[in-house]
Amino acid sequence: MPQFAIWQFFHLVALFYWIGGLVFLGFYLLPRWLRLEHTPQSWHSLAQAIQAFSFGGIFAALLLLLSGYAMVSSIGGFGSLGVAVWIMVVLGTIAALGAFHLAFAPMKRLRRALDGQYWAAAAKALRGYGLFARFLAALALILTFVGVLGVYL
């Protein structure tokens, strides 16, 4: 089996996890969560679930970077890239950095608010997490479209 295909498999698995999680959290779970009343325990449970997804997101982002750069290497390096692949490399690296940001900055604000039992601040942090998750999901979908379309450019 060609090396490129193996890296592409891992790239797609990480991409499916990342986009699926971002869409679920950003478009479905968090907007509905914020409309309901919650106990302190339910806030902490949600924070633990988001933290677990965030660590999975870091792993997915690292796997996307590793597999993406490995695919670039297996096709001859950066000098042999077309425009579409360059767009994917640049935007993909930015998206991966966004995954690291999402795992740390909004989570830090949420944890601080929950530890102090500042429920309005926790809701604000959760809205920020959801907004950034929606942005990253849209960016990941654009990257996927460029990747599919890149075959024809």
Side-chain angles (χ1 to χ4, degrees), residues 24-111:
F24 175 70
L25 283 174
F27 288 97
Y28 297 102
L29 179 64
L30 298 181
R32 283 150 186 81
W33 171 272
L34 289 167
R35 292 187 209 137
L36 303 172
E37 294 289 323
H38 298 285
T39 65
Q41 181 58 39
S42 65
W43 275 101
H44 288 284
S45 294
L46 178 68
Q48 288 173 346
I50 292 173
Q51 184 81 40
F53 169 73
S54 294
F55 286 136
I58 289 171
F59 179 76
L62 290 172
L63 185 56
L64 284 163
L65 288 173
L66 174 69
S67 59
Y69 286 115
M71 286 188 293
V72 167
S73 176
S74 72
I75 62 172
F78 289 103
S80 64
L81 299 182
V83 174
V85 180
W86 266 109
I87 292 170
M88 284 190 341
V89 168
V90 171
L91 291 180
T93 303
I94 292 169
L97 293 173
F100 301 137
H101 170 76
L102 188 66
F104 296 109
M107 279 308 300
K108 184 177 180 181
R109 287 191 288 275
L110 179 61
R111 283 271 175 223

